[in-house]
Amino acid sequence: MPTRNHYRKTWLVTGGAGFIGSHLCERLLEAGHGVLCVDNYLTGSRDNIAHLLDHPHFEVMRHDVTFPLFVEVDGIYNLACPASPIHYQRDPVQTTKTSVHGAINMLGLAKRLNVPILQASTSEVYGDPEVHPQPEDYWGHVNPIGTRACYDEGKRCAETLFFDYHREHNLEIKVARIFNTYGPRMHPNDGRVVSNFIVQALKGEAITLYGDGEQSRSFCYVDDLVKGLIRLMNTTAETTGPINLGNPGEFTMRELASAVLKETGSSSALVEHPLPADDPRQRQPDIGEAASRLDWRPSVALSDGLVPTVGYFRDLVERGLA
């Protein structure tokens, strides 16, 4: 896998106080780089980066990427956007603006500085897929006017903008399509299935299954995901993506609930609720491109990743923060 020479760079991470962003900031600092973390704290939290604030090469800026940003950096990871249905549907217009205006502003900054930029796209660009597992050349099956469209179509438009900037301005771009990711620092009330199940189990509440619980997802531990993002950024300019990053291990919601009950020691019951509109029935990444181009494969099994994740949420529940 061709890579650039490594030296201390300053990376801009938008959405850097979020779940994935905070882990990315941490890993970049561990690699000896500087990090400028930008977040408006709509869904991110200073608690996620509190342990980094005293690091000599870490800076934090409160900023909304829907407005232009003028800084000097060596590269940009654009992760800014609410990523859970509860959060992105709360203000759908702002969600679309974050994906589209945010992409335009960050691409403009990358063009001015002539630096590489990575877009954190999503498996949601595939919608409710008619192809399984999903390869990067699948164009998707998305409802453009549904309640999830603010996120799905916003991210699809962001990908369009990235490739247009690449073609028109020869800008070095990287596009990662991120599949379901879990781990410590997930927001306890973000409505995602892993955090939902764990918090409900730890509180002894009924675990909410939507539909019949037979819909499937693939769950990637955050450390694996961050390694993939960094490997994609460190490839030479010819590798633009889009590249799927996720764990191809597929689990039904009932299987996930069973794994959570086992790890938490909970006896919570399972309760079925109606399936939300446009909720995908299947989701599994084809990671052949990541394996061949990045030499990347996830290494953390769901059973292993749930251990620190449950530990994180157990602490939040015991402190009354979840």
PDB file of all heavy atoms in Angstrom, residues 161-192:
ATOM      1  N   LEU A 161     -20.227  16.653  -4.482  1.00  0.00           N
ATOM      2  CA  LEU A 161     -19.383  17.840  -4.405  1.00  0.00           C
ATOM      3  C   LEU A 161     -17.905  17.473  -4.335  1.00  0.00           C
ATOM      4  O   LEU A 161     -17.056  18.103  -4.997  1.00  0.00           O
ATOM      5  CB  LEU A 161     -19.771  18.675  -3.187  1.00  0.00           C
ATOM      6  CG  LEU A 161     -21.083  19.435  -3.288  1.00  0.00           C
ATOM      7  CD1 LEU A 161     -21.574  19.867  -1.909  1.00  0.00           C
ATOM      8  CD2 LEU A 161     -20.917  20.657  -4.188  1.00  0.00           C
ATOM      9  N   PHE A 162     -17.587  16.453  -3.563  1.00  0.00           N
ATOM     10  CA  PHE A 162     -16.180  16.044  -3.438  1.00  0.00           C
ATOM     11  C   PHE A 162     -15.625  15.619  -4.796  1.00  0.00           C
ATOM     12  O   PHE A 162     -14.522  16.035  -5.186  1.00  0.00           O
ATOM     13  CB  PHE A 162     -16.044  14.916  -2.412  1.00  0.00           C
ATOM     14  CG  PHE A 162     -15.705  15.406  -1.036  1.00  0.00           C
ATOM     15  CD1 PHE A 162     -16.617  16.155  -0.306  1.00  0.00           C
ATOM     16  CD2 PHE A 162     -14.464  15.137  -0.474  1.00  0.00           C
ATOM     17  CE1 PHE A 162     -16.307  16.620   0.961  1.00  0.00           C
ATOM     18  CE2 PHE A 162     -14.147  15.600   0.786  1.00  0.00           C
ATOM     19  CZ  PHE A 162     -15.064  16.342   1.511  1.00  0.00           C
ATOM     20  N   PHE A 163     -16.375  14.827  -5.526  1.00  0.00           N
ATOM     21  CA  PHE A 163     -15.854  14.359  -6.814  1.00  0.00           C
ATOM     22  C   PHE A 163     -15.862  15.455  -7.872  1.00  0.00           C
ATOM     23  O   PHE A 163     -15.000  15.473  -8.756  1.00  0.00           O
ATOM     24  CB  PHE A 163     -16.600  13.107  -7.268  1.00  0.00           C
ATOM     25  CG  PHE A 163     -16.073  11.870  -6.600  1.00  0.00           C
ATOM     26  CD1 PHE A 163     -16.609  11.440  -5.396  1.00  0.00           C
ATOM     27  CD2 PHE A 163     -15.006  11.178  -7.137  1.00  0.00           C
ATOM     28  CE1 PHE A 163     -16.096  10.320  -4.752  1.00  0.00           C
ATOM     29  CE2 PHE A 163     -14.482  10.064  -6.509  1.00  0.00           C
ATOM     30  CZ  PHE A 163     -15.031   9.629  -5.303  1.00  0.00           C
ATOM     31  N   ASP A 164     -16.783  16.411  -7.771  1.00  0.00           N
ATOM     32  CA  ASP A 164     -16.750  17.541  -8.697  1.00  0.00           C
ATOM     33  C   ASP A 164     -15.548  18.447  -8.424  1.00  0.00           C
ATOM     34  O   ASP A 164     -14.912  18.950  -9.359  1.00  0.00           O
ATOM     35  CB  ASP A 164     -18.054  18.335  -8.622  1.00  0.00           C
ATOM     36  CG  ASP A 164     -19.195  17.631  -9.356  1.00  0.00           C
ATOM     37  OD1 ASP A 164     -18.906  16.791 -10.237  1.00  0.00           O
ATOM     38  OD2 ASP A 164     -20.366  17.904  -9.048  1.00  0.00           O
ATOM     39  N   TYR A 165     -15.233  18.671  -7.148  1.00  0.00           N
ATOM     40  CA  TYR A 165     -14.030  19.446  -6.823  1.00  0.00           C
ATOM     41  C   TYR A 165     -12.782  18.705  -7.301  1.00  0.00           C
ATOM     42  O   TYR A 165     -11.814  19.330  -7.773  1.00  0.00           O
ATOM     43  CB  TYR A 165     -13.945  19.702  -5.317  1.00  0.00           C
ATOM     44  CG  TYR A 165     -14.525  21.027  -4.875  1.00  0.00           C
ATOM     45  CD1 TYR A 165     -15.900  21.214  -4.802  1.00  0.00           C
ATOM     46  CD2 TYR A 165     -13.701  22.098  -4.527  1.00  0.00           C
ATOM     47  CE1 TYR A 165     -16.444  22.424  -4.405  1.00  0.00           C
ATOM     48  CE2 TYR A 165     -14.224  23.312  -4.126  1.00  0.00           C
ATOM     49  CZ  TYR A 165     -15.596  23.469  -4.060  1.00  0.00           C
ATOM     50  OH  TYR A 165     -16.122  24.682  -3.669  1.00  0.00           O
ATOM     51  N   HIS A 166     -12.788  17.393  -7.184  1.00  0.00           N
ATOM     52  CA  HIS A 166     -11.650  16.597  -7.640  1.00  0.00           C
ATOM     53  C   HIS A 166     -11.479  16.721  -9.151  1.00  0.00           C
ATOM     54  O   HIS A 166     -10.365  16.955  -9.651  1.00  0.00           O
ATOM     55  CB  HIS A 166     -11.865  15.136  -7.241  1.00  0.00           C
ATOM     56  CG  HIS A 166     -10.847  14.193  -7.783  1.00  0.00           C
ATOM     57  ND1 HIS A 166      -9.512  14.238  -7.422  1.00  0.00           N
ATOM     58  CD2 HIS A 166     -10.957  13.166  -8.685  1.00  0.00           C
ATOM     59  CE1 HIS A 166      -8.852  13.282  -8.060  1.00  0.00           C
ATOM     60  NE2 HIS A 166      -9.703  12.631  -8.832  1.00  0.00           N
ATOM     61  N   ARG A 167     -12.580  16.617  -9.895  1.00  0.00           N
ATOM     62  CA  ARG A 167     -12.504  16.691 -11.359  1.00  0.00           C
ATOM     63  C   ARG A 167     -12.228  18.107 -11.843  1.00  0.00           C
ATOM     64  O   ARG A 167     -11.454  18.304 -12.794  1.00  0.00           O
ATOM     65  CB  ARG A 167     -13.810  16.166 -11.972  1.00  0.00           C
ATOM     66  CG  ARG A 167     -13.981  14.654 -11.877  1.00  0.00           C
ATOM     67  CD  ARG A 167     -15.237  14.192 -12.587  1.00  0.00           C
ATOM     68  NE  ARG A 167     -16.432  14.510 -11.818  1.00  0.00           N
ATOM     69  CZ  ARG A 167     -17.108  13.628 -11.087  1.00  0.00           C
ATOM     70  NH1 ARG A 167     -16.697  12.376 -11.018  1.00  0.00           N
ATOM     71  NH2 ARG A 167     -18.203  13.993 -10.438  1.00  0.00           N
ATOM     72  N   GLU A 168     -12.854  19.094 -11.218  1.00  0.00           N
ATOM     73  CA  GLU A 168     -12.744  20.466 -11.711  1.00  0.00           C
ATOM     74  C   GLU A 168     -11.474  21.163 -11.233  1.00  0.00           C
ATOM     75  O   GLU A 168     -10.884  21.964 -11.968  1.00  0.00           O
ATOM     76  CB  GLU A 168     -13.971  21.268 -11.255  1.00  0.00           C
ATOM     77  CG  GLU A 168     -14.037  22.674 -11.848  1.00  0.00           C
ATOM     78  CD  GLU A 168     -15.360  23.363 -11.560  1.00  0.00           C
ATOM     79  OE1 GLU A 168     -16.355  22.661 -11.253  1.00  0.00           O
ATOM     80  OE2 GLU A 168     -15.404  24.597 -11.644  1.00  0.00           O
ATOM     81  N   HIS A 169     -11.043  20.864 -10.005  1.00  0.00           N
ATOM     82  CA  HIS A 169      -9.907  21.587  -9.415  1.00  0.00           C
ATOM     83  C   HIS A 169      -8.717  20.691  -9.109  1.00  0.00           C
ATOM     84  O   HIS A 169      -7.731  21.155  -8.542  1.00  0.00           O
ATOM     85  CB  HIS A 169     -10.343  22.287  -8.128  1.00  0.00           C
ATOM     86  CG  HIS A 169     -11.500  23.232  -8.309  1.00  0.00           C
ATOM     87  ND1 HIS A 169     -11.405  24.372  -9.072  1.00  0.00           N
ATOM     88  CD2 HIS A 169     -12.773  23.194  -7.838  1.00  0.00           C
ATOM     89  CE1 HIS A 169     -12.570  25.010  -9.056  1.00  0.00           C
ATOM     90  NE2 HIS A 169     -13.413  24.321  -8.324  1.00  0.00           N
ATOM     91  N   ASN A 170      -8.804  19.412  -9.498  1.00  0.00           N
ATOM     92  CA  ASN A 170      -7.731  18.456  -9.220  1.00  0.00           C
ATOM     93  C   ASN A 170      -7.421  18.382  -7.722  1.00  0.00           C
ATOM     94  O   ASN A 170      -6.272  18.186  -7.319  1.00  0.00           O
ATOM     95  CB  ASN A 170      -6.456  18.809 -10.005  1.00  0.00           C
ATOM     96  CG  ASN A 170      -5.502  17.639 -10.102  1.00  0.00           C
ATOM     97  OD1 ASN A 170      -5.934  16.479 -10.149  1.00  0.00           O
ATOM     98  ND2 ASN A 170      -4.216  17.924 -10.117  1.00  0.00           N
ATOM     99  N   LEU A 171      -8.456  18.545  -6.893  1.00  0.00           N
ATOM    100  CA  LEU A 171      -8.278  18.485  -5.449  1.00  0.00           C
ATOM    101  C   LEU A 171      -8.132  17.038  -5.008  1.00  0.00           C
ATOM    102  O   LEU A 171      -8.845  16.151  -5.488  1.00  0.00           O
ATOM    103  CB  LEU A 171      -9.481  19.116  -4.751  1.00  0.00           C
ATOM    104  CG  LEU A 171      -9.424  19.226  -3.228  1.00  0.00           C
ATOM    105  CD1 LEU A 171      -8.303  20.162  -2.796  1.00  0.00           C
ATOM    106  CD2 LEU A 171     -10.766  19.710  -2.685  1.00  0.00           C
ATOM    107  N   GLU A 172      -7.210  16.794  -4.084  1.00  0.00           N
ATOM    108  CA  GLU A 172      -7.016  15.440  -3.564  1.00  0.00           C
ATOM    109  C   GLU A 172      -8.106  15.129  -2.543  1.00  0.00           C
ATOM    110  O   GLU A 172      -8.176  15.759  -1.488  1.00  0.00           O
ATOM    111  CB  GLU A 172      -5.638  15.287  -2.929  1.00  0.00           C
ATOM    112  CG  GLU A 172      -5.396  13.860  -2.438  1.00  0.00           C
ATOM    113  CD  GLU A 172      -3.992  13.648  -1.903  1.00  0.00           C
ATOM    114  OE1 GLU A 172      -3.133  14.534  -2.083  1.00  0.00           O
ATOM    115  OE2 GLU A 172      -3.767  12.581  -1.290  1.00  0.00           O
ATOM    116  N   ILE A 173      -8.940  14.156  -2.869  1.00  0.00           N
ATOM    117  CA  ILE A 173     -10.061  13.818  -1.993  1.00  0.00           C
ATOM    118  C   ILE A 173     -10.004  12.345  -1.592  1.00  0.00           C
ATOM    119  O   ILE A 173      -9.391  11.516  -2.267  1.00  0.00           O
ATOM    120  CB  ILE A 173     -11.422  14.081  -2.666  1.00  0.00           C
ATOM    121  CG1 ILE A 173     -11.594  13.165  -3.894  1.00  0.00           C
ATOM    122  CG2 ILE A 173     -11.571  15.551  -3.038  1.00  0.00           C
ATOM    123  CD1 ILE A 173     -13.015  13.047  -4.405  1.00  0.00           C
ATOM    124  N   LYS A 174     -10.646  12.046  -0.459  1.00  0.00           N
ATOM    125  CA  LYS A 174     -10.854  10.687   0.011  1.00  0.00           C
ATOM    126  C   LYS A 174     -12.291  10.601   0.511  1.00  0.00           C
ATOM    127  O   LYS A 174     -12.729  11.472   1.272  1.00  0.00           O
ATOM    128  CB  LYS A 174      -9.910  10.339   1.177  1.00  0.00           C
ATOM    129  CG  LYS A 174      -8.457  10.753   0.982  1.00  0.00           C
ATOM    130  CD  LYS A 174      -7.765   9.882  -0.047  1.00  0.00           C
ATOM    131  CE  LYS A 174      -6.299  10.288  -0.212  1.00  0.00           C
ATOM    132  NZ  LYS A 174      -5.618   9.466  -1.240  1.00  0.00           N
ATOM    133  N   VAL A 175     -13.021   9.585   0.109  1.00  0.00           N
ATOM    134  CA  VAL A 175     -14.397   9.413   0.558  1.00  0.00           C
ATOM    135  C   VAL A 175     -14.532   8.041   1.201  1.00  0.00           C
ATOM    136  O   VAL A 175     -14.312   7.015   0.551  1.00  0.00           O
ATOM    137  CB  VAL A 175     -15.402   9.564  -0.597  1.00  0.00           C
ATOM    138  CG1 VAL A 175     -16.818   9.240  -0.121  1.00  0.00           C
ATOM    139  CG2 VAL A 175     -15.330  10.971  -1.181  1.00  0.00           C
ATOM    140  N   ALA A 176     -14.889   8.039   2.490  1.00  0.00           N
ATOM    141  CA  ALA A 176     -15.092   6.803   3.245  1.00  0.00           C
ATOM    142  C   ALA A 176     -16.579   6.633   3.523  1.00  0.00           C
ATOM    143  O   ALA A 176     -17.224   7.545   4.044  1.00  0.00           O
ATOM    144  CB  ALA A 176     -14.324   6.849   4.561  1.00  0.00           C
ATOM    145  N   ARG A 177     -17.117   5.487   3.159  1.00  0.00           N
ATOM    146  CA  ARG A 177     -18.513   5.178   3.488  1.00  0.00           C
ATOM    147  C   ARG A 177     -18.519   4.332   4.758  1.00  0.00           C
ATOM    148  O   ARG A 177     -18.192   3.146   4.733  1.00  0.00           O
ATOM    149  CB  ARG A 177     -19.189   4.462   2.324  1.00  0.00           C
ATOM    150  CG  ARG A 177     -19.421   5.396   1.142  1.00  0.00           C
ATOM    151  CD  ARG A 177     -20.068   4.668  -0.026  1.00  0.00           C
ATOM    152  NE  ARG A 177     -20.349   5.609  -1.119  1.00  0.00           N
ATOM    153  CZ  ARG A 177     -20.626   5.246  -2.366  1.00  0.00           C
ATOM    154  NH1 ARG A 177     -20.666   3.958  -2.686  1.00  0.00           N
ATOM    155  NH2 ARG A 177     -20.863   6.154  -3.288  1.00  0.00           N
ATOM    156  N   ILE A 178     -18.907   4.973   5.855  1.00  0.00           N
ATOM    157  CA  ILE A 178     -18.815   4.358   7.179  1.00  0.00           C
ATOM    158  C   ILE A 178     -20.090   3.579   7.486  1.00  0.00           C
ATOM    159  O   ILE A 178     -21.191   4.121   7.416  1.00  0.00           O
ATOM    160  CB  ILE A 178     -18.565   5.438   8.245  1.00  0.00           C
ATOM    161  CG1 ILE A 178     -17.241   6.160   7.965  1.00  0.00           C
ATOM    162  CG2 ILE A 178     -18.582   4.839   9.641  1.00  0.00           C
ATOM    163  CD1 ILE A 178     -17.001   7.353   8.876  1.00  0.00           C
ATOM    164  N   PHE A 179     -19.914   2.317   7.854  1.00  0.00           N
ATOM    165  CA  PHE A 179     -21.028   1.482   8.294  1.00  0.00           C
ATOM    166  C   PHE A 179     -21.147   1.569   9.821  1.00  0.00           C
ATOM    167  O   PHE A 179     -20.306   2.182  10.483  1.00  0.00           O
ATOM    168  CB  PHE A 179     -20.821   0.043   7.839  1.00  0.00           C
ATOM    169  CG  PHE A 179     -21.128  -0.177   6.371  1.00  0.00           C
ATOM    170  CD1 PHE A 179     -20.337   0.403   5.379  1.00  0.00           C
ATOM    171  CD2 PHE A 179     -22.212  -0.945   5.987  1.00  0.00           C
ATOM    172  CE1 PHE A 179     -20.620   0.210   4.028  1.00  0.00           C
ATOM    173  CE2 PHE A 179     -22.510  -1.138   4.637  1.00  0.00           C
ATOM    174  CZ  PHE A 179     -21.714  -0.557   3.665  1.00  0.00           C
ATOM    175  N   ASN A 180     -22.188   0.970  10.368  1.00  0.00           N
ATOM    176  CA  ASN A 180     -22.480   1.086  11.802  1.00  0.00           C
ATOM    177  C   ASN A 180     -21.228   0.893  12.648  1.00  0.00           C
ATOM    178  O   ASN A 180     -20.553  -0.137  12.544  1.00  0.00           O
ATOM    179  CB  ASN A 180     -23.529   0.055  12.217  1.00  0.00           C
ATOM    180  CG  ASN A 180     -24.886   0.331  11.613  1.00  0.00           C
ATOM    181  OD1 ASN A 180     -25.046   0.307  10.400  1.00  0.00           O
ATOM    182  ND2 ASN A 180     -25.870   0.603  12.456  1.00  0.00           N
ATOM    183  N   THR A 181     -20.957   1.887  13.475  1.00  0.00           N
ATOM    184  CA  THR A 181     -19.770   1.891  14.324  1.00  0.00           C
ATOM    185  C   THR A 181     -20.212   2.043  15.777  1.00  0.00           C
ATOM    186  O   THR A 181     -21.172   2.750  16.066  1.00  0.00           O
ATOM    187  CB  THR A 181     -18.831   3.035  13.925  1.00  0.00           C
ATOM    188  OG1 THR A 181     -18.528   2.925  12.520  1.00  0.00           O
ATOM    189  CG2 THR A 181     -17.534   2.999  14.707  1.00  0.00           C
ATOM    190  N   TYR A 182     -19.511   1.384  16.683  1.00  0.00           N
ATOM    191  CA  TYR A 182     -19.878   1.445  18.094  1.00  0.00           C
ATOM    192  C   TYR A 182     -18.620   1.490  18.950  1.00  0.00           C
ATOM    193  O   TYR A 182     -17.515   1.219  18.471  1.00  0.00           O
ATOM    194  CB  TYR A 182     -20.736   0.229  18.481  1.00  0.00           C
ATOM    195  CG  TYR A 182     -19.945  -1.068  18.507  1.00  0.00           C
ATOM    196  CD1 TYR A 182     -19.475  -1.594  19.707  1.00  0.00           C
ATOM    197  CD2 TYR A 182     -19.631  -1.751  17.325  1.00  0.00           C
ATOM    198  CE1 TYR A 182     -18.727  -2.763  19.731  1.00  0.00           C
ATOM    199  CE2 TYR A 182     -18.891  -2.907  17.346  1.00  0.00           C
ATOM    200  CZ  TYR A 182     -18.435  -3.419  18.549  1.00  0.00           C
ATOM    201  OH  TYR A 182     -17.689  -4.557  18.569  1.00  0.00           O
ATOM    202  N   GLY A 183     -18.794   1.825  20.221  1.00  0.00           N
ATOM    203  CA  GLY A 183     -17.673   1.855  21.146  1.00  0.00           C
ATOM    204  C   GLY A 183     -17.877   2.910  22.210  1.00  0.00           C
ATOM    205  O   GLY A 183     -18.903   3.608  22.235  1.00  0.00           O
ATOM    206  N   PRO A 184     -16.925   3.055  23.129  1.00  0.00           N
ATOM    207  CA  PRO A 184     -17.007   4.098  24.155  1.00  0.00           C
ATOM    208  C   PRO A 184     -17.135   5.489  23.538  1.00  0.00           C
ATOM    209  O   PRO A 184     -16.623   5.744  22.452  1.00  0.00           O
ATOM    210  CB  PRO A 184     -15.679   3.948  24.907  1.00  0.00           C
ATOM    211  CG  PRO A 184     -15.262   2.536  24.674  1.00  0.00           C
ATOM    212  CD  PRO A 184     -15.729   2.206  23.286  1.00  0.00           C
ATOM    213  N   ARG A 185     -17.841   6.356  24.228  1.00  0.00           N
ATOM    214  CA  ARG A 185     -18.129   7.748  23.862  1.00  0.00           C
ATOM    215  C   ARG A 185     -19.310   7.903  22.928  1.00  0.00           C
ATOM    216  O   ARG A 185     -19.592   9.013  22.479  1.00  0.00           O
ATOM    217  CB  ARG A 185     -16.895   8.475  23.295  1.00  0.00           C
ATOM    218  CG  ARG A 185     -15.731   8.543  24.257  1.00  0.00           C
ATOM    219  CD  ARG A 185     -14.558   9.327  23.684  1.00  0.00           C
ATOM    220  NE  ARG A 185     -13.320   8.853  24.276  1.00  0.00           N
ATOM    221  CZ  ARG A 185     -12.152   8.844  23.668  1.00  0.00           C
ATOM    222  NH1 ARG A 185     -12.052   9.302  22.433  1.00  0.00           N
ATOM    223  NH2 ARG A 185     -11.089   8.392  24.275  1.00  0.00           N
ATOM    224  N   MET A 186     -20.003   6.816  22.606  1.00  0.00           N
ATOM    225  CA  MET A 186     -21.287   6.983  21.916  1.00  0.00           C
ATOM    226  C   MET A 186     -22.210   7.787  22.817  1.00  0.00           C
ATOM    227  O   MET A 186     -22.161   7.677  24.047  1.00  0.00           O
ATOM    228  CB  MET A 186     -21.934   5.626  21.626  1.00  0.00           C
ATOM    229  CG  MET A 186     -21.209   4.754  20.646  1.00  0.00           C
ATOM    230  SD  MET A 186     -22.116   3.203  20.328  1.00  0.00           S
ATOM    231  CE  MET A 186     -23.362   3.805  19.196  1.00  0.00           C
ATOM    232  N   HIS A 187     -23.061   8.605  22.206  1.00  0.00           N
ATOM    233  CA  HIS A 187     -24.027   9.364  22.987  1.00  0.00           C
ATOM    234  C   HIS A 187     -25.081   8.406  23.528  1.00  0.00           C
ATOM    235  O   HIS A 187     -25.636   7.595  22.784  1.00  0.00           O
ATOM    236  CB  HIS A 187     -24.689  10.422  22.099  1.00  0.00           C
ATOM    237  CG  HIS A 187     -25.405  11.491  22.849  1.00  0.00           C
ATOM    238  ND1 HIS A 187     -26.565  11.241  23.563  1.00  0.00           N
ATOM    239  CD2 HIS A 187     -25.152  12.817  23.009  1.00  0.00           C
ATOM    240  CE1 HIS A 187     -26.981  12.352  24.121  1.00  0.00           C
ATOM    241  NE2 HIS A 187     -26.143  13.322  23.800  1.00  0.00           N
ATOM    242  N   PRO A 188     -25.374   8.453  24.833  1.00  0.00           N
ATOM    243  CA  PRO A 188     -26.307   7.477  25.407  1.00  0.00           C
ATOM    244  C   PRO A 188     -27.736   7.626  24.920  1.00  0.00           C
ATOM    245  O   PRO A 188     -28.526   6.684  25.021  1.00  0.00           O
ATOM    246  CB  PRO A 188     -26.216   7.745  26.921  1.00  0.00           C
ATOM    247  CG  PRO A 188     -25.735   9.151  27.033  1.00  0.00           C
ATOM    248  CD  PRO A 188     -24.820   9.358  25.866  1.00  0.00           C
ATOM    249  N   ASN A 189     -28.088   8.782  24.375  1.00  0.00           N
ATOM    250  CA  ASN A 189     -29.467   9.022  23.940  1.00  0.00           C
ATOM    251  C   ASN A 189     -29.547   9.322  22.450  1.00  0.00           C
ATOM    252  O   ASN A 189     -30.394  10.094  22.016  1.00  0.00           O
ATOM    253  CB  ASN A 189     -30.082  10.181  24.733  1.00  0.00           C
ATOM    254  CG  ASN A 189     -30.086   9.914  26.222  1.00  0.00           C
ATOM    255  OD1 ASN A 189     -30.500   8.846  26.671  1.00  0.00           O
ATOM    256  ND2 ASN A 189     -29.610  10.883  27.003  1.00  0.00           N
ATOM    257  N   ASP A 190     -28.681   8.700  21.661  1.00  0.00           N
ATOM    258  CA  ASP A 190     -28.657   9.032  20.233  1.00  0.00           C
ATOM    259  C   ASP A 190     -29.579   8.144  19.402  1.00  0.00           C
ATOM    260  O   ASP A 190     -29.715   8.343  18.200  1.00  0.00           O
ATOM    261  CB  ASP A 190     -27.232   8.979  19.673  1.00  0.00           C
ATOM    262  CG  ASP A 190     -26.628   7.584  19.657  1.00  0.00           C
ATOM    263  OD1 ASP A 190     -27.318   6.624  20.034  1.00  0.00           O
ATOM    264  OD2 ASP A 190     -25.450   7.458  19.257  1.00  0.00           O
ATOM    265  N   GLY A 191     -30.227   7.181  20.042  1.00  0.00           N
ATOM    266  CA  GLY A 191     -31.180   6.355  19.319  1.00  0.00           C
ATOM    267  C   GLY A 191     -30.561   5.251  18.491  1.00  0.00           C
ATOM    268  O   GLY A 191     -31.278   4.495  17.834  1.00  0.00           O
ATOM    269  N   ARG A 192     -29.242   5.106  18.501  1.00  0.00           N
ATOM    270  CA  ARG A 192     -28.618   4.027  17.742  1.00  0.00           C
ATOM    271  C   ARG A 192     -28.817   2.713  18.488  1.00  0.00           C
ATOM    272  O   ARG A 192     -28.883   2.665  19.711  1.00  0.00           O
ATOM    273  CB  ARG A 192     -27.134   4.315  17.521  1.00  0.00           C
ATOM    274  CG  ARG A 192     -26.893   5.510  16.623  1.00  0.00           C
ATOM    275  CD  ARG A 192     -25.440   5.618  16.240  1.00  0.00           C
ATOM    276  NE  ARG A 192     -24.938   6.958  16.447  1.00  0.00           N
ATOM    277  CZ  ARG A 192     -23.826   7.427  15.902  1.00  0.00           C
ATOM    278  NH1 ARG A 192     -23.111   6.660  15.134  1.00  0.00           N
ATOM    279  NH2 ARG A 192     -23.426   8.656  16.131  1.00  0.00           N
TER     280      ARG A 192
END
